[in-house]
Amino acid sequence: MAQCVQSVQELIPDSFVPCVAALCSDEAERLTRLNHLSFAELLKPFSRLTSEVHMRDPNNQLHIIKNLKIAVSNIITQPPQPGAIRKLLNDVVSGSQPAEGLVANVITAGDYDLNISATTPWFESYRETFLQSMPASDHEFLNHYLACMLVASSNEVEPMEQFSKLSQEQHRIQHNNDYSYPKWFIPNTLKYYVLLHDVSAGDEQRAELIYEEMKQKYGTQGCYLLKINSRTSNRASDEQIPDPWSQYLQKSSIQNQESYEDGPCTITSNKNSDSNLLSLDGLDNEVKDGLPNNFRAHPLQLDQSSDPSNSIDGPDHVKSASSLHETKKANTGIIHGACLTLTDHDRIRQFIQEFTFRGLLPHIEKTIRQLNDQLISRKGLSRSLFSATKKWFSGSKVPEKSINELKNTSGLLYPPEAPELQIRKMADLCFLVQHYDLAYSCYHTAKKDFLNDQAMLYAAGALEMAAVSAFLQPGAPRPYPAHYMDTAIQTYRDICRNMVLAERCVLLSAEILKSQSKYSEAAALLIRLTSEDSDLRSALLLEQAAHCFINMKSPMVRKYAFHMILAGHRFSKAGQKKHALRCYCQAMQVYKGKGWSLAEDHINFTIGRQSYTLRQLDNAVSAFRHILINESKQSAAQQGAFLREYLYVYKNVSQLSPDGPLPQLPLPYINSSATRVFFGHDRRPADGEKQAATHVSLDQEYDSESSQQWRELEEQVVAVVNKGIIPSGFYPTQYCLNSYSDNSRFPLAVVEEPITVEVAFRNPLKVPLLLTDLSLLWKFQPKDFSGKDNEEVKELITGEPEMIGTEVISEFLINSEESKVARLKLFPHHIGELHILGVVYNLGTIQGSMTVDGIGALPGCHTGKYSLGMSVRGRQDLEIQGPRLNNTKEEKTSIKYGPDRRLDPIITEEMPLLEVFFIHFPTGLLCGEIRKAYVEFVNVSKCPLTALKVVSKRPEFFTFGGNTAVLTPLSPSASENCSAYKTVVTDSTSVCTALISSASSVDFGIGMGSQPEVIPVPLPDTVLLPGASVQLPMWLRGPDEEGVHEINFLFYYESVKKQPKIRHRILRHTAVICTSRSLNVRATVCRSNSLEDEEGRGGNMLVFVDVENTNTSEAGVKEFHIVQVSSSSKHWQLQNSVNLAENKEAKLASREKGKFCFKAVRCKEKEAAMQSSEWYTFADIIFGNEQIISSASPCADFFYRSLSSELKKPQAQLSLHTEKHSIEDAVRLIQKCSEVDLNIIILWKAYVVEDSKQLILEGQHHVILRTIGKEAFSYPQKQELPEMELLKFFRPENTAVSSRPSVDQLSNLIKTSLHYPESFNHPFHQKSLCLVPVTLLLSNCSKADVDVIVDLRHKTTSPEALEIHGSFTWLGQTQYKLQLKSQEIHSLQLKACFVHTGVYNLGTPRVFAKLSDQVTVFETSQQNSMPALIIINNI
């Protein structure tokens, strides 16, 4: 139980005090009424004696009474009605609330820290009122009247006569059978005569005379002169006199104050009463039934004329404002005791002392002695005779237990003079004067008698008081007999059906157990008495039980909380809304955050309901908010009910302050970190053949790899524009900001371009939410960034459409448990700083969503189908936490977050805005296929744009054509055939011989030191004016690898007028191309062994080209035609085709392979000298009747682009060591001999059948030949992973690069060729030796001097070779030593000698060579692996 102001040792004596009746004449009543008090009320504050009192017990022992208090009350002849008592108790509880500034106790139990009010004043007030208002009953005498004060005034005409009348009246009330109420202790009641004298108005002398007369008649012990009203009431304001009455009157009267607004029934006020209060003492001016006083109905009796539904258990009613107003008016400004001075106070105090000392106590002492004497004389009789007599008179049977017998509940009814009752009377008297030892023994005796007689009500009463007496005995000779109380409670409750007496037992016993720290037993006792018949009692007892649990040695926190909830529920049923709310709030401390979500929901819902009823709207909103924001496990119907309650309460709150700031709404959830901000217009959809650039949009998922690629592309183009350096202030353009982007800087937005904010909503409930009028909330500061700071900064909040236009989404539905994004736009019309604060919307539910289940709606809102009218306006802020900082030591050791400024854009001046459209842009190509498309550039802004460039990692994929206009125009024949190439019709005579042209790589954007990836877009006049559009041709070439290719284009452009904030803008496009297989081309080049060309210069070469059709006919390709083979090189050119028959078309069906052989010669020296190093010679060999000019666009473009991408690949470079410098040089010279830079372009056409139409596709493949004898491919070769090898541990040797050139390179140093007749006729019968002249041609391929040794002594030793070719010998010198100058050709005349006919291989000479300044000799014999066969015939 909670702590009490009084200890139990003080509480019990104060609850059972001697009762004294007061009977006043009308005149006496009038005198006290001047003070707004009745006579009984006048005495109330002074009814406790200030000093100890002595009396003698029956054994003549002195007994001391401490703090004795007496209770004086007006005589009321009607017993109080139970309903009225309930009403009184209800009002007392509702009137007592926790003090505002009350400091609660903090109790720590386990994980819990609870704030709990230590005291419960409402319970104490209830208990006090309950004990005081208990009706007197026949089985006990504790609250029966012991004495009666007869009060008359000195102003009476005949005071003595008045006293006689009053005395007779008292006698009539006590002894007349018409009055069963009030109850009197003994027939011979003490009468005490009091003469009231009004000092200010009355005649004091007369009063004294009357008093003398009274003393003579009634004795000095039996009368008193009380002087009051020493001053007149109109002088009351002069001097402030304390008012000790207010606290008593407040407790004992039913007052309709504002705090009782929620009281359960209305009070009908009496018209004639001057204040609207019903006092316990029945203070009223009316005279009824001819009585001089108000012996009318008990004040606790309800007015019969009132509506029967006004009973305590009826429905809750709220009183009308007018009656409340009257009540307030009546109760305010009343000053009690206005005519009394402090002297008067002392006189009243003295009067009580005198009455108690001289009248009451002697009377009690005498009565105890008489009762004791009776008992002693009775003990002399035989008990058996006594009981036999009783049986004789009462019948042999024990009376039936009947609930309906009179007012008693069970068992026997004793006559007033029954000896058992005399014992009980004596016990009660002893108890009232604190003589607990004697009281206990009497109660104990009475208990036995009552139990023997089966008088259960009497027995229970005796047991109850015996237990209390035992506890209060001084020195505690015996332990508290709790079992007495248990039996008494059980008897009262179960047998007697008297819950009031059972409740008194429980209240007393619980206090006693609490004082002994037996909290567990006290709690069990309190809980046992909770029942359905009284919600208020159950609520208070459950609350006290909860306090017992928390006050135990080891606090039982959850039991405390559970019983607090039960108490709150019962308080709510009893109409005690404030107490119900308080209990639920106390319990919430325990359940909060422990995962008991359904319990939390229930508590929050109840708190919300109660707070709403009490008009604590903010608390109600907060409680309902909690239900909605926690992850609710409730059913959909329940959640819908919660939501509707919340909206209803919220609407009421917002109506109270319609102009206040918008409140924060709890639903739906917003994932702030997932907020994305997009700057710019939405992408236009594809329009027929027009396809808009993909750019950036909110529909694209973030990909860190691709964003890095875009960043690199932008850096690349910015570096090119700024002459190779990225400026220090450069920051990559970000059109879409999200949680992955770098948001540490203020983003830049352009005026008149929309800003789209994507907000991620989530509905945690199982019911759909409807957001209406959804828009962004922002703050804007207009600024001038041009440097003029004299303009004042205006602070503008929402609602300025001329500054910032705001898009409003009229309806946005989020289904149950759905996550959904809303895209909200702002249109900035002015430069400045914008801050996006959050979203503002109306929150509501959709019409016809589920009805409330099991929960009645609040008054004023309909259950059933919900209309859209139930929605509330509010806001939610977007607060994004930046990334955690982790750079410095301080940041690593603490938790710090950087800024996230994605919602704070700076609006800058106008910039140009480019839109790019692709027309006839293919999605599928064959590998190497050339397709012509168009690109349209549109300037949709009001500013001209310039410096338009495009950058891509795959420049070999597209071209806008060469720089010079001459190279790109369409030729007539090409336009007829819809060819992408520039073509010229040729006559058939020129077939198979090369047609020569030349072009510079600079014209195609591939120059020395240029960036091939950055391509300027050839805009006319280099400027695109506002609103203008330009269409440019764009040639595309399918990548050489099959599959899906994503190709990124980044368009870069600037404003003609330079802006301080934004230097340039970009537009992105990602093209997705699917390529399928077409042709595979592989080529090799080798030196020709044939005789020299006409000029006599050496160095002809043969080029072998293999072309394979790898297409799988999926694309409907019938066949490929090789229409032209072209070469492009700085030093070499194709001369003619070696192996093709005239006019034979080069066709390749699926999976067919074709082989071509071409002769290549060096370019003419004079041409080479004329041209710079960037000029390439193109030679075309045509297999049809149309020449494609390979040195023009787009053929040359793609060739140069593929060449530049090939050059970018890392080449194997030999490391140079200074000490071996000469050797390295030698090796380099030898390597150069085997190098060749000849590039082959294969141009083809493919015939495709599609939708029963034949289409002609065209394309080109490139093969770059670098080394003689090494095969080159048109398609990238896959690197085969090496097989797994065992790990070897070894000590690293000196791993300098070997200075020996490879065998392949050495074999190309000296080129040898033998010139001889193919067949030779010789008459062997005439001459046995056949001599054949043979010329050995030695050609130095290097640019250095070479020493050569030719050794003819070499013999073929292998038997296979001997079998195939016969043996012969060389005649003459067997070894020659020569020196060949740079690129010199030397011929040796040799003679071969044969002895018989046959086929001979002349390729036996071994040739050794070394550079003149080197020591090492290299053999070049590999050249002779090709057999040089001669046939010797006999004639």
Side-chain angles (χ1 to χ4, degrees):
M1 292 176 75
Q3 294 170 15
C4 293
V5 179
Q6 285 182 306
S7 70
V8 67
Q9 281 82 2
E10 295 168 333
L11 167 74
I12 298 174
D14 272 7
S15 304
F16 300 100
V17 293
C19 292
V20 178
L23 198 56
C24 304
S25 69
D26 291 345
E27 184 60 26
E29 194 67 53
R30 188 187 65 75
L31 290 183
T32 55
R33 288 301 292 151
L34 294 173
N35 296 293
H36 298 287
L37 297 164
S38 71
F39 181 72
E41 284 169 348
L42 182 73
L43 304 183
K44 204 155 237 168
F46 313 103
S47 58
R48 187 184 295 280
L49 300 189
T50 52
S51 58
E52 288 182 354
V53 192
H54 300 154
M55 65 174 279
R56 295 201 174 266
D57 64 10
N59 299 330
N60 216 21
Q61 297 292 317
L62 194 67
H63 171 61
I64 299 169
I65 307 167
K66 294 177 183 175
N67 286 327
L68 181 64
K69 182 181 167 191
I70 61 168
V72 181
S73 57
N74 290 356
I75 293 180
I76 294 151
T77 55
Q78 287 292 329
Q81 283 203 344
I85 294 174
R86 284 201 294 266
K87 169 73 182 73
L88 171 66
L89 293 173
N90 217 38
D91 290 348
V92 164
V93 172
S94 60
S96 177
Q97 298 293 337
E100 285 300 317
L102 188 72
V103 181
N105 283 15
V106 178
I107 294 181
T108 304
D111 306 340
Y112 301 96
D113 285 329
L114 308 178
N115 281 334
I116 295 169
S117 59
T119 58
T120 48
W122 48 92
F123 171 68
E124 291 175 49
S125 299
Y126 171 86
R127 188 178 57 196
E128 185 183 339
T129 310
F130 170 78
L131 292 171
Q132 282 178 6
S133 64
M134 282 198 73
S137 63
D138 291 333
H139 79 288
E140 65 180 21
F141 306 95
L142 288 162
N143 53 358
H144 290 199
Y145 285 135
L146 276 163
C148 181
M149 290 181 182
L150 304 172
V151 188
S153 166
S154 62
N155 292 350
E156 307 263 3
V157 184
E158 289 290 339
M160 297 306 285
E161 195 180 320
Q162 190 66 43
F163 279 128
S164 301
K165 278 184 183 174
L166 290 172
S167 178
Q168 287 163 16
E169 187 59 43
Q170 188 278 327
H171 188 272
R172 189 168 69 84
I173 290 168
Q174 184 174 352
H175 298 291
N176 194 330
N177 290 334
D178 296 345
Y179 296 104
S180 63
Y181 201 87
K183 306 283 184 188
W184 302 88
F185 207 100
I186 49 174
N188 186 16
T189 302
L190 168 71
K191 292 178 184 173
Y192 196 78
Y193 299 89
V194 181
L195 181 66
L196 270 189
H197 174 62
D198 189 327
V199 176
S200 58
D203 182 351
E204 194 161 338
Q205 206 172 355
R206 180 170 185 253
E208 290 290 350
L209 286 168
I210 297 165
Y211 181 50
E212 284 299 323
E213 196 178 338
M214 286 166 68
K215 281 199 279 190
Q216 285 174 11
K217 187 172 182 184
Y218 306 120
T220 52
Q221 310 287 324
C223 58
Y224 194 84
L225 170 62
L226 178 58
K227 296 178 181 179
I228 57 167
N229 296 357
S230 295
R231 60 175 183 171
T232 53
S233 57
N234 56 2
R235 284 180 43 237
S237 55
D238 303 349
E239 179 185 0
Q240 282 299 316
I241 300 282
D243 176 5
W245 292 274
S246 53
Q247 54 177 331
Y248 294 98
L249 294 178
Q250 229 171 1
K251 284 181 185 174
S252 63
S253 60
I254 304 168
Q255 299 188 356
N256 300 337
Q257 292 170 351
E258 192 170 24
S259 58
Y260 303 132
E261 189 180 329
D262 305 313
C265 64
T266 51
I267 296 292
T268 51
S269 61
N270 211 318
K271 287 174 195 157
N272 300 340
S273 64
D274 54 350
S275 73
N276 187 21
L277 46 96
L278 294 174
S279 156
L280 264 177
D281 296 327
L283 169 61
D284 204 296
N285 291 338
E286 286 188 47
V287 178
K288 278 195 176 181
D289 303 332
L291 295 177
N293 256 88
N294 49 342
F295 301 133
R296 57 185 177 81
H298 194 280
L300 290 181
Q301 181 168 4
L302 288 168
D303 192 335
Q304 294 304 308
S305 64
S306 64
D307 181 16
S309 71
N310 286 348
S311 67
I312 187 82
D313 300 320
D316 291 6
H317 292 283
V318 179
K319 290 193 299 295
S320 69
S322 60
S323 74
L324 268 178
H325 180 64
E326 285 166 28
T327 308
K328 266 199 212 160
K329 221 164 43 176
N331 282 334
T332 49
I334 293 178
I335 300 171
H336 301 290
C339 302
L340 302 174
T341 61
L342 288 174
T343 314
D344 291 336
H345 289 195
D346 290 340
R347 285 174 182 151
I348 297 168
R349 203 173 281 114
Q350 185 63 36
F351 161 64
I352 294 291
Q353 294 268 48
E354 283 290 317
F355 165 70
T356 313
F357 284 8
R358 303 216 176 167
L360 185 63
L361 283 178
H363 175 67
I364 292 174
E365 194 176 322
K366 187 174 108 187
T367 309
I368 291 176
R369 283 179 187 278
Q370 286 173 355
L371 289 168
N372 190 47
D373 293 346
Q374 285 179 23
L375 288 175
I376 290 168
S377 64
R378 191 198 121 195
K379 274 182 186 169
L381 295 167
S382 155
R383 291 292 308 208
S384 58
L385 174 68
F386 181 73
S387 53
T389 315
K390 193 160 47 168
K391 278 181 187 173
W392 177 262
F393 287 110
S394 62
S396 58
K397 273 189 180 176
V398 174
E400 290 274 322
K401 294 179 186 175
S402 157
I403 294 168
N404 300 326
E405 271 188 273
L406 296 167
K407 271 194 171 177
N408 252 353
T409 42
S410 173
L412 198 67
L413 264 186
Y414 292 100
E417 61 281 355
E420 290 87 348
L421 288 190
Q422 305 313 311
I423 303 177
R424 171 70 206 230
K425 272 184 185 175
M426 181 173 166
D428 283 350
L429 266 179
C430 293
F431 189 87
L432 289 173
V433 293
Q434 301 173 15
H435 200 316
Y436 299 118
D437 294 341
L438 188 53
Y440 175 74
S441 60
C442 292
Y443 284 131
H444 203 266
T445 310
K447 175 201 74 164
K448 288 178 183 171
D449 289 348
F450 293 142
L451 283 172
N452 288 337
D453 294 341
Q454 290 287 303
M456 296 313 292
L457 178 64
Y458 295 90
L463 279 166
E464 175 189 3
M465 296 316 292
V468 176
S469 303
F471 171 72
L472 290 173
Q473 274 179 345
R478 51 176 65 82
Y480 168 62
H483 59 286
Y484 278 16
M485 274 294 193
D486 293 345
T487 311
I489 294 166
Q490 196 175 353
T491 307
Y492 281 145
R493 194 183 63 187
D494 300 339
I495 299 173
C496 307
R497 300 278 189 269
N498 191 328
M499 292 304 284
V500 177
L501 292 169
E503 184 178 350
R504 183 180 70 184
C505 271
V506 166
L507 292 175
L508 297 175
S509 186
E511 275 300 328
I512 293 167
L513 290 168
K514 183 188 84 171
S515 71
Q516 297 175 337
S517 298
K518 294 180 178 176
Y519 288 108
S520 181
E521 291 88 335
L525 196 63
L526 291 161
I527 294 165
R528 208 162 74 191
L529 205 69
T530 55
S531 62
E532 288 305 313
D533 66 317
S534 170
D535 289 314
L536 182 65
R537 180 185 69 232
S538 301
L540 288 161
L541 297 185
L542 283 165
E543 185 183 12
Q544 292 307 308
H547 279 282
C548 287
F549 288 125
I550 204 73
N551 285 323
M552 290 168 91
K553 195 176 272 183
S554 53
M556 301 173 84
V557 182
R558 288 198 292 275
K559 275 203 166 188
Y560 161 78
F562 182 66
H563 286 85
M564 270 307 213
I565 294 288
L566 295 175
H569 175 64
R570 298 304 286 269
F571 270 131
S572 180
K573 283 176 75 178
Q576 299 283 348
K577 307 292 183 195
K578 285 185 182 175
H579 287 296
L581 178 59
R582 180 183 48 72
C583 287
Y584 275 101
C585 290
Q586 296 257 297
M588 189 58 174
Q589 298 176 88
V590 175
Y591 289 106
K592 199 170 189 175
K594 292 287 186 291
W596 294 37
S597 62
L598 294 178
E600 262 189 86
D601 285 353
H602 168 77
I603 296 168
N604 273 316
F605 182 74
T606 313
I607 289 174
R609 270 276 175 97
Q610 302 291 6
S611 300
Y612 177 76
T613 316
L614 294 168
R615 311 307 291 163
Q616 297 176 10
L617 298 179
D618 289 343
N619 289 353
V621 167
S622 164
F624 281 120
R625 181 190 178 93
H626 275 295
I627 303 179
L628 297 174
I629 60 174
N630 292 335
E631 291 294 334
S632 177
K633 295 184 175 63
Q634 302 283 1
S635 66
Q638 197 70 36
Q639 286 183 3
F642 287 162
L643 179 60
R644 284 191 294 275
E645 293 264 356
Y646 171 74
L647 294 175
Y648 178 75
V649 172
Y650 215 109
K651 207 167 181 68
N652 280 287
V653 174
S654 54
Q655 281 167 359
L656 291 179
S657 55
D659 303 326
L662 278 175
Q664 292 280 347
L665 291 173
L667 289 172
Y669 290 179
I670 291 181
N671 182 358
S672 289
S673 63
T675 303
R676 297 195 294 165
V677 185
F678 176 69
F679 301 101
H681 295 279
D682 292 342
R683 181 177 164 249
R684 290 194 194 175
D687 178 19
E689 289 295 321
K690 263 193 188 184
Q691 180 193 346
T694 53
H695 195 41
V696 185
S697 79
L698 287 168
D699 298 325
Q700 296 164 0
E701 287 296 316
Y702 176 80
D703 177 13
S704 59
E705 206 176 305
S706 72
S707 73
Q708 183 59 30
Q709 283 179 11
W710 289 116
R711 185 190 181 121
E712 287 168 9
L713 287 173
E714 189 175 354
E715 283 176 0
Q716 214 170 351
V717 67
V718 168
V720 168
V721 170
N722 291 286
K723 303 183 176 59
I725 304 155
I726 294 175
S728 58
F730 168 74
Y731 191 70
T733 309
Q734 295 189 118
Y735 283 112
C736 183
L737 301 178
N738 51 33
S739 52
Y740 304 105
S741 53
D742 178 6
N743 305 323
S744 57
R745 293 162 58 106
F746 291 103
L748 299 173
V750 177
V751 71
E752 302 299 342
E753 290 187 21
I755 299 168
T756 308
V757 179
E758 183 184 86
V759 183
F761 289 111
R762 182 169 74 83
N763 177 5
L765 303 182
K766 298 185 179 80
V767 288
L769 296 176
L770 183 66
L771 312 186
T772 53
D773 297 341
L774 170 63
S775 63
L776 288 169
L777 198 62
W778 48 265
K779 185 170 78 175
F780 182 65
Q781 287 179 323
K783 281 198 177 165
D784 189 2
F785 295 116
S786 59
K788 294 183 215 151
D789 284 333
N790 53 5
E791 185 186 344
E792 60 173 307
V793 176
K794 285 184 261 168
E795 186 80 10
L796 286 171
I797 312 296
T798 46
E800 291 284 341
E802 64 273 8
M803 289 288 179
I804 307 282
T806 309
E807 181 192 44
V808 178
I809 297 177
S810 59
E811 284 192 349
F812 186 75
L813 179 67
I814 311 173
N815 284 319
S816 57
E817 296 179 329
E818 180 188 21
S819 294
K820 193 172 179 182
V821 295
R823 291 180 185 165
L824 298 153
K825 285 187 182 167
L826 294 177
F827 301 93
H829 304 311
H830 198 283
I831 60 172
E833 291 178 7
L834 178 64
H835 302 282
I836 298 163
L837 306 173
V839 286
V840 57
Y841 55 93
N842 296 329
L843 173 65
T845 52
I846 58 167
Q847 198 163 13
S849 67
M850 285 151 291
T851 54
V852 188
D853 278 353
I855 290 181
L858 286 169
C861 71
H862 14 260
T863 50
K865 293 202 175 177
Y866 230 79
S867 68
L868 269 180
M870 189 52 71
S871 67
V872 292
R873 189 142 189 89
R875 64 185 278 183
Q876 274 203 69
D877 292 341
L878 290 170
E879 291 168 355
I880 305 173
Q881 190 178 57
R884 183 169 173 188
L885 301 175
N886 205 21
N887 300 325
T888 63
K889 185 181 178 185
E890 187 191 349
E891 286 169 356
K892 285 177 181 173
T893 51
S894 60
I895 297 176
K896 286 188 176 179
Y897 293 93
D900 191 302
R901 300 197 166 106
R902 69 182 99 158
L903 295 174
D904 303 319
I906 292 172
I907 314 296
T908 64
E909 292 171 26
E910 277 193 312
M911 282 290 288
L913 186 62
L914 177 71
E915 283 194 358
V916 178
F917 298 96
F918 296 88
I919 302 158
H920 300 303
F921 200 87
T923 53
L925 290 171
L926 294 171
C927 291
E929 182 189 340
I930 304 284
R931 190 78 66 88
K932 185 176 184 181
Y934 288 91
V935 188
E936 185 174 12
F937 297 98
V938 187
N939 182 354
V940 293
S941 68
K942 294 177 182 172
C943 307
L945 65 87
T946 186
L948 179 56
K949 292 178 173 50
V950 60
V951 59
S952 174
K953 291 268 188 228
R954 303 283 291 272
E956 69 276 9
F957 170 66
F958 69 98
T959 178
F960 289 106
N963 291 356
T964 53
V966 186
L967 302 174
T968 26
L970 284 172
S971 49
S973 59
S975 57
E976 286 166 27
N977 296 342
C978 298
S979 170
Y981 290 114
K982 181 180 179 184
T983 56
V984 175
V985 179
T986 55
D987 54 337
S988 55
T989 54
S990 66
V991 171
C992 293
T993 55
L995 298 164
I996 308 298
S997 59
S998 64
S1000 165
S1001 63
V1002 178
D1003 289 339
F1004 295 93
I1006 313 291
M1008 292 298 284
S1010 72
Q1011 281 262 21
E1013 288 94 344
V1014 180
I1015 300 153
V1017 177
L1019 287 177
D1021 307 330
T1022 69
V1023 172
L1024 196 57
L1025 295 171
S1029 67
V1030 171
Q1031 268 195 19
L1032 294 176
M1034 182 189 218
W1035 288 272
L1036 308 171
R1037 178 175 179 271
D1040 287 318
E1041 292 177 69
E1042 69 165 326
V1044 179
H1045 301 269
E1046 273 196 8
I1047 294 154
N1048 292 336
F1049 299 91
L1050 186 130
F1051 295 93
Y1052 165 101
Y1053 56 98
E1054 297 172 3
S1055 175
V1056 173
K1057 177 186 167 192
K1058 293 285 173 267
Q1059 296 285 7
K1061 291 268 182 192
I1062 305 180
R1063 305 263 177 91
H1064 67 270
R1065 301 192 85 178
I1066 60 166
L1067 176 71
R1068 301 176 185 176
H1069 176 63
T1070 301
V1072 179
I1073 299 285
C1074 182
T1075 54
S1076 46
R1077 286 187 285 186
S1078 56
L1079 298 177
N1080 274 359
V1081 182
R1082 53 178 76 195
T1084 49
V1085 61
C1086 56
R1087 296 197 188 282
S1088 165
N1089 284 346
S1090 62
L1091 286 166
E1092 305 312 311
D1093 54 5
E1094 315 83 65
E1095 281 82 2
R1097 283 190 306 113
N1100 291 355
M1101 288 193 294
L1102 291 177
V1103 179
F1104 297 95
V1105 180
D1106 288 1
V1107 183
E1108 184 187 358
N1109 176 0
T1110 56
N1111 187 273
T1112 52
S1113 304
E1114 287 167 11
V1117 181
K1118 285 205 304 188
E1119 58 188 7
F1120 285 92
H1121 288 216
I1122 310 299
V1123 292
Q1124 182 172 314
V1125 177
S1126 300
S1127 71
S1128 171
S1129 170
K1130 293 180 186 176
H1131 308 297
W1132 296 88
Q1133 66 190 50
L1134 291 183
Q1135 194 179 32
N1136 55 19
S1137 172
V1138 176
N1139 64 339
L1140 213 67
E1142 284 186 21
N1143 279 340
K1144 187 190 177 199
E1145 282 192 349
K1147 289 184 186 175
L1148 293 173
S1150 181
R1151 293 291 177 191
E1152 280 190 348
K1153 197 183 273 191
K1155 213 171 183 68
F1156 299 89
C1157 181
F1158 303 99
K1159 181 180 173 183
V1161 296
R1162 279 188 183 277
C1163 299
K1164 296 189 172 90
E1165 286 294 334
K1166 59 179 186 224
E1167 285 180 13
M1170 246 169 56
Q1171 294 159 354
S1172 72
S1173 61
E1174 297 301 324
W1175 281 85
Y1176 284 75
T1177 302
F1178 289 81
D1180 303 336
I1181 293 177
I1182 305 148
F1183 297 141
N1185 55 359
E1186 225 174 34
Q1187 177 199 358
I1188 293 169
I1189 299 171
S1190 57
S1191 59
S1193 282
C1195 180
D1197 293 80
F1198 289 115
F1199 159 66
Y1200 281 126
R1201 290 207 184 338
S1202 70
L1203 186 66
S1204 73
S1205 65
E1206 192 66 32
L1207 289 169
K1208 268 180 13 190
K1209 289 178 187 169
Q1211 302 293 328
Q1213 292 292 329
L1214 292 167
S1215 61
L1216 297 176
H1217 295 275
T1218 46
E1219 68 271 13
K1220 301 180 180 177
H1221 199 59
S1222 55
I1223 299 175
E1224 298 292 350
D1225 283 353
V1227 171
R1228 188 83 197 95
L1229 283 166
I1230 294 167
Q1231 281 176 344
K1232 272 199 147 176
C1233 299
S1234 60
E1235 280 181 7
V1236 59
D1237 63 331
L1238 177 61
N1239 308 298
I1240 305 295
I1241 305 167
I1242 313 291
L1243 294 115
W1244 49 265
K1245 284 187 179 175
Y1247 292 87
V1248 179
V1249 178
E1250 194 178 278
D1251 301 335
S1252 69
K1253 286 181 192 169
Q1254 180 162 311
L1255 302 174
I1256 300 175
L1257 306 179
E1258 51 197 349
Q1260 65 190 57
H1261 282 76
H1262 313 117
V1263 183
I1264 295 170
L1265 293 163
R1266 293 247 184 269
T1267 313
I1268 293 172
K1270 191 174 178 186
E1271 198 169 30
F1273 303 91
S1274 66
Y1275 50 93
Q1277 291 299 297
K1278 284 185 182 142
Q1279 292 286 324
E1280 284 193 15
L1281 290 169
E1283 285 186 24
M1284 199 178 289
E1285 291 180 358
L1286 290 171
L1287 192 62
K1288 292 175 184 172
F1289 295 93
F1290 60 91
R1291 193 171 178 184
E1293 300 288 330
N1294 184 9
T1295 55
V1297 178
S1298 165
S1299 56
R1300 274 192 75 84
S1302 69
V1303 173
D1304 289 349
Q1305 292 166 344
L1306 295 175
S1307 65
N1308 293 322
L1309 185 61
I1310 299 288
K1311 177 179 161 189
T1312 60
S1313 64
L1314 290 162
H1315 293 266
Y1316 55 90
E1318 282 187 14
S1319 63
F1320 192 82
N1321 299 327
H1322 177 73
F1324 278 98
H1325 59 279
Q1326 293 176 11
K1327 195 174 183 179
S1328 58
L1329 290 178
C1330 170
L1331 300 176
V1332 180
V1334 177
T1335 304
L1336 173 62
L1337 221 69
L1338 299 167
S1339 174
N1340 179 3
C1341 297
S1342 76
K1343 298 201 172 181
D1345 295 354
V1346 179
D1347 292 347
V1348 181
I1349 299 171
V1350 181
D1351 189 359
L1352 302 177
R1353 292 171 299 177
H1354 173 64
K1355 291 280 182 287
T1356 307
T1357 52
S1358 64
E1360 294 89 351
L1362 285 171
E1363 282 174 27
I1364 299 164
H1365 316 296
S1367 177
F1368 72 99
T1369 50
W1370 296 100
L1371 298 184
Q1373 193 174 333
T1374 56
Q1375 195 176 50
Y1376 296 87
K1377 285 189 179 179
L1378 309 164
Q1379 188 179 49
L1380 297 181
K1381 300 286 182 205
S1382 167
Q1383 295 194 330
E1384 183 189 341
I1385 299 167
H1386 185 82
S1387 61
L1388 280 178
Q1389 301 301 323
L1390 306 177
K1391 280 190 178 165
C1393 175
F1394 303 92
V1395 290
H1396 49 73
T1397 56
V1399 179
Y1400 297 90
N1401 179 9
L1402 295 178
T1404 58
R1406 293 176 75 184
V1407 180
F1408 299 92
K1410 76 175 181 66
L1411 297 175
S1412 299
D1413 54 356
Q1414 293 288 323
V1415 184
T1416 322
V1417 177
F1418 310 122
E1419 184 178 357
T1420 63
S1421 57
Q1422 267 65 17
Q1423 272 292 327
N1424 299 336
S1425 59
M1426 292 175 72
L1429 300 178
I1430 185 167
I1431 303 166
I1432 305 295
N1433 297 321
N1434 187 12
I1435 47 170

